[in-house]
Amino acid sequence: MSATPGSAAATKNQTPRSRVILASLIGTTIEFYDFYVYATAAVAVFPALFFTGNDDTAKLLASMATFAAAFIARPIGSIIFGHYGDRIGRKATLIGALLTMGIATFLIGLLPTYQQIGLWAPAMLTILRFCQGLGLGGEWSGASLLATEYAEEGKRARAAMWPQLGAPFGFIIANGFFLILTIAFGFNSAANPDGVSHSFLIWGWRIPFLASIVMVAIGLWVRFKLEETPVFAEVQEAKKVVKAPVAEVFKKNWLQLIQGTFIMLATYVLFYLMTAWILSYGIGKPSAGMLGIPYQEFLILQLIAVLLFAAFVPVSGWLADKYGRRSSQLVITACIALFGLTFKFLIDPALTGTGADVSVWRVLVFLCIGMTLMGLTFGSMSAILPELFPTNVRYTGSGIAYNVSSILGAAITPYMAVWLNADFGVGAVGLYLTLGAVLTLIALFFSPETKNVDLAKL
């Protein structure tokens, strides 16, 4: 809840609500753009350029392993940026997180390949991917607090959905950019007849990474114009800022850390199945148990489906404000568990077809259901997790829960999905999602309703 009109903090913090919305939205859009650019390249570009060998599945798994490096870094980033976010404030910390992510993404666009410098190439790629994770580890919780700590009473989940829109917006920009480039360069799959001599694989793939620096500059300009959130300003005035937020949150709020981690689990598993893994499965070779859809065609299907992701994020915020966070998420997560049971029916090559014979409409239905559920579960998470923690450790607590969950639910998900499909078929991938949803249902069942929590109360 925002500061009361008569408080000193409210008087000092007169940042227009439109600027708060823009700052929380544009920052997460940039951060997720950077992340998706890497995810797309990890499937379509990096296996050919940064890894060696003749086994396509092995190279894809190696590329997915570098993708996972960022998730290992994210809890570390949440601790580092959370410490400063709860010590010196949300604004300065958000600027630091954005710079960390943006610079790492730009430098990836300058990297030499395996053919040029050997094993140093994947090593440097992994290091920069780790730095991307550090930045995103501090970005999400800060952007969420920016939205929630300025929100009007009774409308907190609807205000908190703005940074969540950064995920589908970043996806649309990143994948739309890649689609335009692949059309312009005449590149339609990583297994193109020209091999790594294709101009897109030589330099075209670098453009989205290098272009991110322009978006970072815009994001910095917006965030420099912000003032501190009124809720945190009250904590500063009351001199209740803690010296060691990490120690404090583990000492007094360890249960909330566990609850938040598993509340977010199903969302993460669904998210990275529907973004990173499904791209590799959709364009992968039928001989390896995948669908063999042309790269450009599959990107178009993803871009259509992600519009539903964006459309249902505001719906999620409205449902959470009207019916409560816990109640709405219990129903949505149960639907995710059921969706996991449909994988074999909707996208098994034996039923859906492959290559030129694939049932495009069947695949699109699968993507649309998954992305709709993604919007419904993701939209209110930026209200749920911060509401579990008091103000003086909220940046740290919500960030750690969100990013530890990223290790359990996202870091290994694309890797596990590739392995499960290769050994047991796509139905096993769906069961993996159902398992994640069941664990989230258990966490939600034992968690409190936070709809009416006073964010200014310590």
Side-chain angles (χ1 to χ4, degrees), residues 120-191:
W120 282 105
M124 293 168 67
L125 180 66
T126 303
I127 291 170
L128 290 176
R129 177 62 176 166
F130 189 87
C131 292
Q132 276 192 317
L134 289 177
L136 190 56
E139 165 62 30
W140 178 86
S141 51
S144 297
L145 298 195
L146 191 64
T148 57
E149 292 184 347
Y150 268 107
E152 296 177 22
E153 185 175 0
K155 298 181 179 179
R156 200 159 58 222
R158 277 168 282 185
M161 70 89 186
W162 287 107
Q164 302 302 79
L165 279 174
F169 287 179
F171 185 96
I172 291 168
I173 297 170
N175 285 278
F177 202 165
F178 259 102
L179 176 62
I180 292 169
L181 287 172
T182 55
I183 292 173
F185 280 82
F187 178 84
N188 203 27
S189 101

Side-chain angles (χ1 to χ4, degrees), residues 371-389:
M371 287 297 188
T372 296
L373 289 171
M374 188 60 226
L376 288 172
T377 185
F378 191 61
S380 59
M381 283 297 166
S382 55
I384 295 171
L385 298 189
E387 288 169 353
L388 291 172
F389 301 92

Side-chain angles (χ1 to χ4, degrees), residues 66-132:
T66 67
F67 180 75
F71 295 101
I72 306 301
R74 281 169 65 161
I76 301 173
S78 67
I79 291 172
I80 295 171
F81 289 106
H83 173 83
Y84 290 106
D86 285 327
R87 288 278 293 145
I88 65 174
R90 311 335 190 184
K91 173 183 173 179
T93 307
L94 276 168
I95 290 171
L98 184 62
L99 280 172
T100 302
M101 183 82 172
I103 292 172
T105 304
F106 179 78
L107 291 177
I108 289 173
L110 300 176
L111 282 180
T113 65
Y114 180 89
Q115 288 77 17
Q116 294 171 313
I117 61 170
L119 291 174
W120 282 105
M124 293 168 67
L125 180 66
T126 303
I127 291 170
L128 290 176
R129 177 62 176 166
F130 189 87
C131 292
Q132 276 192 317

Side-chain angles (χ1 to χ4, degrees), residues 40-325:
T40 302
V43 171
V45 175
F46 292 161
L49 298 182
F50 288 90
F51 303 96
T52 185
N54 297 319
D55 188 331
D56 290 338
T57 300
K59 290 197 291 185
L60 178 58
L61 286 171
S63 184
M64 288 297 187
T66 67
F67 180 75
F71 295 101
I72 306 301
R74 281 169 65 161
I76 301 173
S78 67
I79 291 172
I80 295 171
F81 289 106
H83 173 83
Y84 290 106
D86 285 327
R87 288 278 293 145
I88 65 174
R90 311 335 190 184
K91 173 183 173 179
T93 307
L94 276 168
I95 290 171
L98 184 62
L99 280 172
T100 302
M101 183 82 172
I103 292 172
T105 304
F106 179 78
L107 291 177
I108 289 173
L110 300 176
L111 282 180
T113 65
Y114 180 89
Q115 288 77 17
Q116 294 171 313
I117 61 170
L119 291 174
W120 282 105
M124 293 168 67
L125 180 66
T126 303
I127 291 170
L128 290 176
R129 177 62 176 166
F130 189 87
C131 292
Q132 276 192 317
L134 289 177
L136 190 56
E139 165 62 30
W140 178 86
S141 51
S144 297
L145 298 195
L146 191 64
T148 57
E149 292 184 347
Y150 268 107
E152 296 177 22
E153 185 175 0
K155 298 181 179 179
R156 200 159 58 222
R158 277 168 282 185
M161 70 89 186
W162 287 107
Q164 302 302 79
L165 279 174
F169 287 179
F171 185 96
I172 291 168
I173 297 170
N175 285 278
F177 202 165
F178 259 102
L179 176 62
I180 292 169
L181 287 172
T182 55
I183 292 173
F185 280 82
F187 178 84
N188 203 27
S189 101
N192 71 91
D194 295 332
V196 295
S197 65
H198 194 287
S199 57
F200 180 77
L201 291 177
I202 294 173
W203 65 275
W205 69 271
R206 300 177 184 275
I207 297 173
F209 289 91
L210 299 176
S212 68
I213 202 69
V214 177
M215 298 177 67
V216 170
I218 296 171
L220 288 174
W221 176 74
V222 172
R223 286 188 172 175
F224 270 119
K225 290 181 172 290
L226 291 175
E227 297 176 35
E228 192 51 76
T229 70
V231 172
F232 186 75
E234 288 184 351
V235 171
Q236 289 179 313
E237 285 187 359
K239 301 188 184 304
K240 293 182 178 180
V241 175
V242 295
K243 292 183 178 180
V246 176
E248 182 82 3
V249 79
F250 275 101
K251 180 181 178 181
K252 296 184 178 180
N253 302 101
W254 59 269
L255 179 59
Q256 288 77 20
L257 286 174
I258 295 172
Q259 290 171 335
T261 296
F262 284 95
I263 285 172
M264 190 69 199
L265 182 67
T267 304
Y268 263 126
V269 176
L270 177 64
F271 193 53
Y272 285 92
L273 286 179
M274 299 307 300
T275 53
W277 170 75
I278 194 61
L279 177 60
S280 68
Y281 180 77
I283 70 174
K285 294 179 179 179
S287 60
M290 294 179 268
L291 298 180
I293 300 172
Y295 181 44
Q296 291 175 8
E297 184 177 336
F298 195 81
L299 276 182
I300 292 172
L301 294 178
Q302 276 196 302
L303 287 168
I304 293 171
V306 83
L307 295 176
L308 291 171
F309 180 6
F312 278 90
V313 165
V315 175
S316 177
W318 179 82
L319 289 172
D321 276 337
K322 184 172 178 61
Y323 298 106
R325 285 67 159 130

Side-chain angles (χ1 to χ4, degrees), residues 397-422:
S398 61
I400 291 176
Y402 181 83
N403 291 296
V404 170
S405 186
S406 77
I407 295 179
L408 301 177
I412 62 172
T413 288
Y415 189 96
M416 284 293 295
V418 170
W419 172 71
L420 285 170
N421 180 64

